[in-house]
Amino acid sequence: MESAEIARRFLRFFEERGHKVVPSASLIAEDPTLLLVPAGMVPFKPYFLGQRKPPAARLASVQKCVRTPDIEEVGKTTRHATFFQMLGNFSFGDYFKEQAIPFAWELLTNAESDGGFGFPEEKLWVTVFLDDDEAIDIWHNKVGVPMERIQRRGLEDNYWHMGVPGPGGPCSEIYYDRGQEYGRDGGPVADEDRYLEVWNNVFMQYQLSAVRSKTDFDVAGELPAKNIDTGMGLERMATILQGVDNLYEIDTTYKILDKAAELTKTRYGRDPRADISLRVIADHVRTGTMLVADGVAPSNEGRGYVLRRILRRSIRNLRLLGSGEERYMHELTDVTIDAMGETYPELKADAPQIHAVVDAEEASFLGTLRTGTAIFDVAVEETKRKSGSTLSGDQAFQLHDTYGFPIDLTLEMAAEQGLRVDEDGFRRLMKEQRERAKADAKAKKTGNADISVFGTLLEKAGKVEFLGYDATEADSTILGILVDGASVPVAGKGATVEIVLGRTPFYAEGGGQLADQGVIRTGGGEAEILDVQSPIGGLVVHRGRVREGEIRAGDEAHAEIDIERRRAISRSHSATHLVHRGFKNALGETAAQAGSENSPGRFRFDFTAAGAVPQSVLRDVEDEVNAVLINDLQVNAFYTTQAEARAMGALAMFGEKYGDEVRVVEIGDYSRELCGGTHVHSSGQLGLVKVLGEQSVGAGVRRVEALVGIDAFRFLARESLLVAQLTEQLKARREELPERVEGIVSRLRTAEKDLEKLRSAQVLQIAGELASQARDLHGVSFVAHRAPDGTGADDLRKLALDVRGRFPADRPAVVVIAGAPTERPVVVAAVNEAGRERGLKAGRLVGVAAKALGGGGGGKDDVAQGGGTDAGAVADALRAVERSVGEQLT
């Protein structure tokens, strides 16, 4: 039974039993305490906590999940994976154990012809929490499972929570007995390789506060209602129903593994080391594809770091299989999209954008591998020279953070050199970096407050009504005040506050649009609002400072936004829609929005593209957009279903997930896009759009920056003044300026080349003198020289090679030349063949010098180059090389 059919049967079974089927949420978690969705129930957490009303009391879904704590084990075993899908049925205060347990049993044991999975009843075992006699009674007396196949287990195995504060409760799991050939008798408590868990019924009824470990946590109290959260791993079910041994052999995964084996000319099952690499590739390419499809872009922090690490582990393992410089990720991503596309059709629709991101990351990392390997070699040489056996955590972290090396690549390369790596030091530095990134991201949304504080406010306020589409001011009520993350009844003058209103005209930052600013006034005080955020869905938090009197919870208030700021931001947001459409018209549908920021008078727009956008295209897009402004098209907004919006061609941001009801913004017949932001009433209100330029901001992503309205007019006025000044100074008409400036630049470059030749000749004139003044170090001619400041790196290298060439072939020689072409020093080392036979290597020596200069470098044994940051340490660097040569020769 194929994976897609397993999912269809599951959803159909529960839909027939009154459950509303909902699509998978994005892998990007809404919960600010999580980077990615690690479990099927995560999107439903606000319903369990009573923070939001669910769309129905019974829901069912197939949820995409990613977990990476055991990423190093992926491939080494056949049980670990980073991406998986959870089939789940959920009840919010509706049914509980007495119905959830029979539902699970019925679906598992019903014949395939009746819509079930056809599991023999005698093959199924059950576990329950230690003291859950109620569940045992249902399993035994209502369902009919013999007592000998029901086992009690403790917190470690039969209590579920997410590892962070939130919902939790005891659970009851169902296991499938694969037979004696897979392990020993005795049920799940004896052998979980033989007895494979297929279903977990979580009886969600408690709110956990502090969570210290799987078995150590505090229960804050009961949830508003008793709920059911179940999970059935789709990949594990496919393993059983497809009659294979592990998740790497099921239909969706094996297609990727098989393609990787074909591309690298290997065969699965022959070589254990190659099998590990093939499993890593199969899992990680699938995970990476799904993350990119949900809008994650490779970066060095947060979820972008997770994606980058996963993609780069895939590429590294392809190299281990002999791919060399060949680029195979495009084909592997294609296979993944085909394998997963039946369940997630958006993968096929977004294929061009997915390929653009993955292909760019592959190209970037292949270059990184070349550069990073040279840096790694220098670190190894330095460690061995000091008779060390361990690369420091700092060195491993630099390789990762600066050069993009995965730690497992550093570990493997170090092992090949007979060295270990200080993993504890590396992971400490990584942890510090991640905690900083996570704190920065969380602070933007939640400030100093614990997320549970916002949950309490949402429960009190209900969903805050946003009035800002039609109103710029409104009367409301202050429902809550936070100071330093804690709820307070009153805040006085000068206090930094977070205010929750029952309804508001203030736009909370989102969808690329910056937040409104303004004031909130009550009878007793006034607060200046500088930022507005929505830390959890449905709640709007106004951040600012009390500038007059006191603000009290429960007070009637008047909220008023800065109208001019709002209008300027709205112009930028509408311009972003027009530019989005313009780039699609110019570059094709692959030019999909990947982010934006709409600020007063200025906006930036990120979109997927394989390479730089020509200036001619930027000009054409700008002209097309400004023609729309002249036509003064009407801007309309309306609500419809997501299906209807897509049918009418409305653009959606790549990777963004939307609800069943969506808001569509139309600008005449030119642009139609899903959007929750604020906009102008007609395109003519934008006045003018001026595109400033474009640049790369990541793998496969370009950024355009532009001005709107009066800011665009002011920019053009300054440009016109500059042109007028140039025409006056150069005594040329405006249309002659490009030719005149080109002529001046051409003559300047010729003069610079002549000057460079003269300088180079002067530098090389002293080569004979330096060779004749060489010092003798234990039979080796040694030259150390500091060139005049401003001498170029190429000239330093030429001088070093020239001096080295003046020594007889049988005379060992080392030449080290240093200088400061700019503010940063450069050092070049050259060793002739006779010197190399004495064990002297240029790469090692330049590493010694570069370290003294506060930098690094590397190269071959005969010639190498490095640099640093401390130009004042050049003399020290030359002395350090001399000492190193002496130590090696004695």
Side-chain angles (χ1 to χ4, degrees):
M1 187 181 298
E2 291 191 346
S3 296
E5 175 59 21
I6 295 171
R8 276 194 296 268
R9 284 178 179 246
F10 179 90
L11 295 177
R12 184 167 58 241
F13 176 89
F14 283 102
E15 188 172 30
E16 290 170 352
R17 285 154 183 79
H19 292 67
K20 178 181 175 62
V21 173
V22 294
S24 172
S26 169
L27 283 167
I28 301 174
E30 286 188 6
D31 188 334
T33 65
L34 299 170
L35 283 180
L36 299 165
V37 171
M41 60 74 60
V42 168
F44 306 111
K45 182 179 173 182
Y47 307 148
F48 288 124
L49 293 174
Q51 295 172 347
R52 293 190 218 167
K53 184 179 179 181
R58 300 181 177 194
L59 299 178
S61 71
V62 179
Q63 175 61 44
K64 299 172 288 189
C65 304
V66 169
R67 291 181 192 168
T68 56
D70 298 324
I71 190 171
E72 284 85 3
E73 298 305 311
V74 171
K76 296 177 183 176
T77 76
T78 57
R79 295 189 298 112
H80 290 88
T82 55
F83 176 83
F84 59 97
Q85 299 160 89
M86 290 302 292
L87 309 170
N89 59 287
F90 305 89
S91 167
F92 306 100
D94 185 10
Y95 61 84
F96 202 49
K97 299 178 186 179
E98 68 284 349
Q99 281 184 276
I101 289 173
F103 277 159
W105 189 261
E106 183 182 357
L107 178 56
L108 287 175
T109 60
N110 274 2
E112 290 188 20
S113 58
D114 294 330
F117 293 121
F119 282 28
E121 293 188 8
E122 65 274 11
K123 288 279 191 179
L124 298 178
W125 288 63
V126 171
T127 64
V128 298
F129 187 55
L130 283 173
D131 59 1
D132 196 348
D133 294 332
E134 181 186 4
I136 289 181
D137 180 67
I138 296 170
W139 278 118
H140 181 59
N141 294 318
K142 186 171 182 178
V143 175
V145 179
M147 288 299 294
E148 59 267 24
R149 294 212 308 274
I150 302 175
Q151 298 181 325
R152 297 178 187 262
R153 306 186 81 173
L155 288 171
E156 180 69 33
D157 301 292
N158 275 68
Y159 200 99
W160 193 92
H161 58 74
M162 295 193 305
V164 295
C171 61
S172 178
E173 298 176 328
I174 307 172
Y175 289 78
Y176 175 77
D177 181 4
R178 297 199 289 172
Q180 291 183 340
E181 64 270 28
Y182 289 94
R184 64 184 189 275
D185 295 337
V189 298
D191 190 339
E192 288 200 8
D193 284 329
R194 170 178 170 176
Y195 300 90
L196 206 61
E197 178 200 335
V198 295
W199 198 308
N200 188 9
N201 289 277
V202 181
F203 309 126
M204 196 79 72
Q205 59 191 105
Y206 299 110
Q207 166 68 23
L208 309 186
S209 51
V211 178
R212 292 170 289 275
S213 71
K214 180 80 167 87
T215 60
D216 184 14
F217 50 84
D218 296 334
V219 177
E222 293 202 356
L223 294 172
K226 291 183 177 181
N227 309 297
I228 287 295
D229 157 32
T230 78
M232 181 167 71
L234 177 54
E235 284 75 13
R236 190 165 293 182
M237 282 291 291
T239 299
I240 298 170
L241 293 172
Q242 293 174 17
V244 296
D245 282 341
N246 59 71
L247 61 88
Y248 289 96
E249 297 175 11
I250 65 173
D251 56 343
T252 53
T253 313
Y254 193 76
K255 290 177 182 176
I256 311 167
L257 187 151
D258 193 45
K259 187 64 175 180
E262 175 193 328
L263 292 170
T264 57
K265 297 179 174 57
T266 55
R267 285 192 64 182
Y268 187 62
R270 286 189 172 180
D271 177 4
R273 288 178 61 85
D275 288 352
I276 290 173
S277 290
L278 288 171
R279 287 193 289 265
V280 170
I281 294 164
D283 172 78
H284 284 12
V285 171
R286 188 166 75 138
T287 305
T289 299
M290 301 305 291
L291 285 170
V292 173
D294 273 355
V296 181
S299 69
N300 287 329
E301 60 183 31
R303 59 181 68 94
Y305 167 76
V306 174
L307 172 61
R308 170 158 284 167
R309 185 182 183 197
I310 282 170
L311 291 178
R312 292 188 168 190
R313 287 187 100 232
S314 306
I315 299 162
R316 181 184 73 85
N317 278 275
L318 283 166
R319 282 173 63 88
L320 290 177
L321 293 175
S323 67
E325 294 294 314
E326 293 293 329
R327 295 173 58 178
Y328 292 145
M329 291 295 287
H330 190 99
E331 292 175 77
L332 292 169
T333 303
D334 245 350
V335 173
T336 304
I337 291 171
D338 181 66
M340 304 297 293
E342 187 174 352
T343 304
Y344 305 102
E346 65 271 17
L347 292 177
K348 295 182 178 180
D350 294 335
Q353 296 95 309
I354 296 170
H355 280 307
V357 174
V358 175
D359 291 353
E361 182 65 13
E362 181 179 34
S364 171
F365 186 48
L366 288 175
T368 290
L369 280 174
R370 289 189 292 271
T371 305
T373 299
I375 304 302
F376 172 83
D377 289 343
V378 172
V380 169
E381 288 288 344
E382 181 183 348
T383 302
K384 289 184 174 180
R385 181 175 57 80
K386 295 179 178 178
S387 301
S389 61
T390 304
L391 289 179
S392 71
D394 287 341
Q395 289 171 314
F397 181 74
Q398 181 191 23
L399 280 166
H400 155 77
D401 197 48
T402 306
Y403 302 102
F405 257 41
I407 182 60
D408 48 356
L409 176 57
T410 303
L411 289 169
E412 183 162 340
M413 291 174 65
E416 292 170 355
Q417 296 289 333
L419 300 175
R420 295 184 295 106
V421 177
D422 177 12
E423 289 187 71
D424 290 339
F426 169 81
R427 298 192 190 286
R428 173 179 52 78
L429 293 169
M430 281 298 302
K431 182 180 179 183
E432 291 173 1
Q433 184 191 63
R434 288 174 182 169
E435 285 177 348
R436 286 193 299 269
K438 191 173 182 179
D440 290 345
K442 180 181 178 183
K444 181 66 174 173
K445 283 288 183 185
T446 65
N448 297 318
D450 186 280
I451 192 68
S452 61
V453 175
F454 292 118
T456 302
L457 283 172
L458 181 62
E459 187 175 351
K460 177 180 179 181
K463 184 175 181 180
V464 175
E465 183 182 3
F466 175 60
L467 308 171
Y469 292 134
D470 304 308
T472 57
E473 57 183 296
D475 293 325
S476 189
T477 303
I478 296 180
L479 300 180
I481 302 173
L482 298 180
V483 174
D484 292 331
S487 182
V488 297
V490 61
K493 183 176 179 179
T496 299
V497 294
E498 295 175 295
I499 300 172
V500 176
L501 300 175
R503 59 183 198 151
T504 180
F506 282 84
Y507 183 87
E509 181 179 351
Q513 180 171 331
L514 294 187
D516 282 331
Q517 295 180 356
V519 295
I520 295 176
R521 298 184 179 90
T522 69
E526 181 179 293
E528 179 185 20
I529 302 305
L530 303 173
D531 186 27
V532 187
Q533 295 290 329
S534 179
I536 57 178
L539 189 71
V540 177
V541 177
H542 307 74
R543 294 179 180 162
R545 181 179 60 85
V546 179
R547 61 186 184 189
E548 294 293 341
E550 292 182 335
I551 300 292
R552 293 179 176 275
D555 279 357
E556 296 300 312
H558 184 77
E560 183 177 337
I561 69 171
D562 180 336
I563 298 174
E564 291 307 315
R565 174 184 169 84
R566 160 70 75 79
R567 287 173 178 165
I569 291 175
S570 296
R571 286 193 290 268
S572 294
H573 202 156
S574 297
T576 302
H577 283 215
L578 296 176
V579 168
H580 187 188
R581 182 70 266 169
F583 274 110
K584 279 190 174 291
N585 290 347
L587 301 176
E589 292 302 311
T590 59
Q593 182 174 351
S596 65
E597 181 178 280
N598 307 299
S599 52
R602 188 184 192 97
F603 70 89
R604 67 173 186 238
F605 174 72
D606 299 344
F607 59 99
T608 53
V613 179
Q615 285 295 319
S616 59
V617 172
L618 296 181
R619 185 175 60 251
D620 290 345
V621 170
E622 181 182 274
D623 288 347
E624 184 174 307
V625 168
N626 282 307
V628 172
L629 308 193
I630 292 173
N631 293 331
D632 199 21
L633 303 180
Q634 285 298 116
V635 178
N636 299 306
F638 58 91
Y639 290 90
T640 185
T641 65
Q642 186 175 158
E644 290 175 347
R646 290 189 181 277
M648 63 178 67
L651 298 178
M653 182 175 168
F654 173 51
E656 187 73 17
K657 301 305 173 186
Y658 302 90
D660 290 338
E661 184 180 66
V662 294
R663 183 171 181 261
V664 178
V665 175
E666 291 181 329
I667 304 179
D669 292 329
Y670 182 76
S671 168
R672 184 177 290 116
E673 194 163 331
L674 305 187
C675 181
T678 64
H679 291 270
V680 297
H681 296 297
S682 67
S683 64
Q685 292 178 340
L686 273 59
L688 179 71
V689 172
K690 176 59 187 172
V691 176
L692 300 178
E694 68 92 43
Q695 61 182 327
S696 171
V697 291
V701 179
R702 310 296 297 183
R703 171 171 294 169
V704 164
E705 297 197 47
L707 300 173
V708 187
I710 191 65
D711 291 86
F713 282 110
R714 287 170 179 161
F715 174 83
L716 291 178
R718 291 193 299 270
E719 292 286 290
S720 179
L721 178 61
L722 177 61
V723 171
Q725 291 171 341
L726 286 173
T727 58
E728 176 65 25
Q729 292 174 2
L730 299 178
K731 305 302 180 184
R733 295 192 299 272
R734 286 177 178 246
E735 60 271 20
E736 295 174 343
L737 283 178
E739 183 178 351
R740 183 66 63 86
V741 170
E742 184 180 357
I744 293 173
V745 171
S746 178
R747 291 193 296 274
L748 180 60
R749 286 174 178 165
T750 300
E752 287 177 340
K753 287 179 181 178
D754 292 342
L755 184 61
E756 183 65 27
K757 289 178 182 178
L758 179 61
R759 184 186 296 118
S760 180
Q762 291 175 334
V763 168
L764 295 176
Q765 280 178 356
I766 66 171
E769 181 182 351
L770 291 177
S772 66
Q773 296 175 355
R775 297 183 57 194
D776 183 274
L777 292 179
H778 305 285
V780 173
S781 295
F782 179 77
V783 174
H785 174 69
R786 174 169 184 165
D789 288 349
T791 304
D794 285 344
D795 287 339
L796 295 176
R797 190 180 186 92
K798 290 176 184 177
L799 179 59
L801 293 175
D802 191 340
V803 174
R804 185 186 69 177
R806 293 175 183 267
F807 292 100
D810 59 350
R811 174 65 177 176
V814 173
V815 180
V816 184
I817 307 294
T822 59
E823 295 179 356
R824 300 172 68 89
V826 172
V827 61
V828 178
V831 181
N832 65 6
E833 185 174 353
R836 296 195 296 276
E837 290 174 354
R838 293 284 301 272
L840 300 172
K841 297 180 179 180
R844 180 189 299 173
L845 296 177
V846 89
V848 172
K851 183 178 180 182
L853 295 172
K860 297 180 180 180
D861 292 346
D862 61 335
V863 63
Q865 179 174 318
T869 57
D870 186 2
V874 169
D876 293 336
L878 295 176
R879 284 193 293 269
V881 175
E882 183 174 351
R883 285 196 302 272
S884 179
V885 171
E887 291 169 358
Q888 292 180 58
L889 295 174
T890 56

